[in-house]
Amino acid sequence: MFYREAGQFRTSYAADSQLLPLRQDRVGMAIILLLAVAVVPFVANDYWLSAILIPWLILALVATGQNILMGYAGQLSLGSAGFMAVGAFACYNLILRIDGIPFLLALFLSGICAALVGIVFGLPSLRIRGLYLAVATLASQFFIVWALDKFGWFKNYDPAGVITAQPIIMFGHNFASPREKYWVVLLIVAALTLAAKNMARGSTGRAWMAVRDMDVAAEVMGLSLLRTKLQAFAISSFYCGVGGALFAFAYLQTVEPSAFTIDLSFRILFMVIIGGLGTILGSFLGAGFILLMPVFLNVFFHKAFGKAVDATITSALEQVIFGVLIIVFLIFEPLGFARLWQLTKERLRLWPFRH
């Protein structure tokens, strides 16, 4: 950053393992949260809140869950959209069938439902790994979407096969406007991100990383592979389930199972890889890149060419440029945006000196 670490000494293990050891980092994070809560909702218009910021926060939360499983625990998974679907439909049915259940409790229970499903589909990780595990989790994606589509109970027997999310009511107030939904999503995402960061720095995160780096050595040291891997699957699926419920209630409003396709799972996978495996910050940066870059390219082409070029051609060009940008970025910085940010900070610490 623009500040140095000199003069701040950590003399105990607790001080060294803080979430934000530097005083400037703590102040900076407090300022960012204050701006996100008190300034952004009043500066951004409804389009930016409902179409950009809310989906960005939700997808960053899901990418954080995926990063826990892939980046920290080293388990390859392609079923994140399926677990999102479990969370979305579980939250809908909980509010529909349990009269008076608080929204936050329904959200938590929907995450638990997704975690239980994640544990079931995480069982193959005890015997297989790598691409074989990815194929096994891919089966969960297809099975979940098929089950939600096949059994009408999940959709309250709606003839069109879609569900309409109920209003978000908390403490007797209906959070209906984009600004109020943004506050709800921001609060939940901030709390779960803090929890993920806390788990990653503690014994839980160290167990995940030990299994990721060499599972045989971790087992010899006394770690239970069964408990550690299934714990990672459960927590990752919980995050995806909560993200899926928010995706349905705060963003889409009207949902059908086909909204959670394999395409969405791949997008979340790209967010994690481009953002940086094994970093919480990378989940947010990767989600921002995947979500915002097509929007920026679309705005650029409309301003540059207007109606002089056919819309189908500009749309195809956007996809090509987006794909090329991803390839170029991964060639020059395969460790993702998080590593790029870390290198930038290290250079700024020395600036304006070379050494």
Side-chain angles (χ1 to χ4, degrees), residues 106-151:
L107 196 68
F108 175 76
L109 292 177
S110 64
I112 294 295
C113 291
L116 293 175
V117 176
I119 289 174
V120 172
F121 285 100
L123 287 172
S125 67
L126 304 176
R127 300 298 299 270
I128 57 179
R129 64 180 71 178
L131 291 176
Y132 298 101
L133 179 60
V135 173
T137 55
L138 187 62
S140 70
Q141 165 75 42
F142 293 126
F143 177 79
I144 291 170
V145 173
W146 172 82
L148 293 174
D149 203 30
K150 181 72 174 178
F151 299 102

Side-chain angles (χ1 to χ4, degrees), residues 1 67 72 197 271-286 329-349:
M1 293 294 292
N67 219 333
Y72 288 102
K197 186 77 175 173
M271 291 173 192
V272 174
I273 293 174
I274 292 173
L277 285 167
T279 61
I280 302 298
L281 175 65
S283 305
F284 285 81
L285 298 177
F329 179 80
L330 290 179
I331 289 174
F332 287 98
E333 188 47 79
L335 297 179
F337 278 111
R339 176 60 178 164
L340 203 61
W341 173 241
Q342 185 182 3
L343 292 174
T344 305
K345 286 196 301 182
E346 290 174 359
R347 287 170 184 167
L348 284 174
R349 285 194 187 101

Side-chain angles (χ1 to χ4, degrees), residues 19-343:
L19 278 176
L20 300 170
L22 290 180
R23 187 185 313 112
Q24 292 89 339
D25 286 347
R26 293 194 289 273
V27 174
M29 185 56 65
I31 292 173
I32 291 173
L33 286 176
L34 184 63
L35 291 174
V37 172
V39 177
V40 171
F42 298 98
V43 174
N45 56 29
D46 285 352
Y47 169 76
W48 268 90
L49 288 172
S50 58
I52 302 294
L53 293 176
I54 288 177
W56 171 59
L57 288 172
I58 294 171
L59 291 176
L61 177 67
V62 177
T64 300
Q66 183 78 352
N67 219 333
I68 287 174
L69 186 60
M70 284 182 57
Y72 288 102
Q75 308 300 307
L76 192 56
S77 171
L78 293 176
S80 52
F83 301 128
M84 287 178 69
V86 172
F89 281 83
C91 193
Y92 168 77
N93 280 285
L94 284 167
I95 295 176
L96 177 71
R97 302 178 195 285
I98 302 177
D99 191 29
I101 184 172
F103 176 76
L104 289 178
L105 178 59
L107 196 68
F108 175 76
L109 292 177
S110 64
I112 294 295
C113 291
L116 293 175
V117 176
I119 289 174
V120 172
F121 285 100
L123 287 172
S125 67
L126 304 176
R127 300 298 299 270
I128 57 179
R129 64 180 71 178
L131 291 176
Y132 298 101
L133 179 60
V135 173
T137 55
L138 187 62
S140 70
Q141 165 75 42
F142 293 126
F143 177 79
I144 291 170
V145 173
W146 172 82
L148 293 174
D149 203 30
K150 181 72 174 178
F151 299 102
W153 183 85
F154 293 114
K155 297 169 288 188
N156 198 26
Y157 301 102
D158 186 273
V162 299
I163 61 171
T164 301
Q166 300 91 338
I168 300 175
I169 299 176
M170 295 191 301
F171 310 110
H173 179 73
N174 184 7
F175 289 77
S177 69
R179 182 182 301 165
E180 291 173 331
K181 288 180 181 176
Y182 167 80
W183 274 325
V184 172
V185 172
L186 178 65
L187 173 69
I188 295 169
V189 170
L192 288 180
T193 303
L194 183 65
K197 186 77 175 173
N198 201 31
M199 284 186 286
R201 72 178 178 127
S203 58
T204 304
R206 289 196 293 273
W208 291 339
M209 288 182 271
V211 171
R212 176 196 64 189
D213 294 340
M214 187 173 287
D215 54 356
V216 176
E219 190 173 24
V220 170
M221 293 170 65
L223 281 176
S224 168
L225 294 185
L226 172 68
R227 186 182 64 189
T228 306
K229 288 185 176 181
L230 292 187
Q231 181 191 55
F233 266 98
I235 294 175
S236 169
S237 303
F238 178 86
Y239 275 68
C240 292
V242 172
L246 290 174
F247 200 65
F249 279 73
Y251 178 51
L252 292 178
Q253 301 294 324
T254 302
V255 187
E256 55 184 336
S258 59
F260 302 95
T261 59
I262 185 65
D263 178 63
L264 182 58
S265 287
F266 276 114
R267 286 178 64 194
I268 295 166
L269 182 69
F270 294 151
M271 291 173 192
V272 174
I273 293 174
I274 292 173
L277 285 167
T279 61
I280 302 298
L281 175 65
S283 305
F284 285 81
L285 298 177
F289 179 81
I290 295 293
L291 188 68
L292 294 179
M293 184 54 69
V295 177
F296 288 147
L297 287 175
N298 184 270
V299 172
F300 171 76
F301 276 107
H302 274 81
K303 287 189 178 298
F305 300 110
K307 295 182 180 178
V309 181
D310 190 71
T312 55
I313 297 176
T314 57
S315 177
L317 275 175
E318 289 167 18
Q319 297 294 328
V320 171
I321 293 174
F322 184 56
V324 170
L325 282 175
I326 292 177
I327 294 171
V328 170
F329 179 80
L330 290 179
I331 289 174
F332 287 98
E333 188 47 79
L335 297 179
F337 278 111
R339 176 60 178 164
L340 203 61
W341 173 241
Q342 185 182 3
L343 292 174

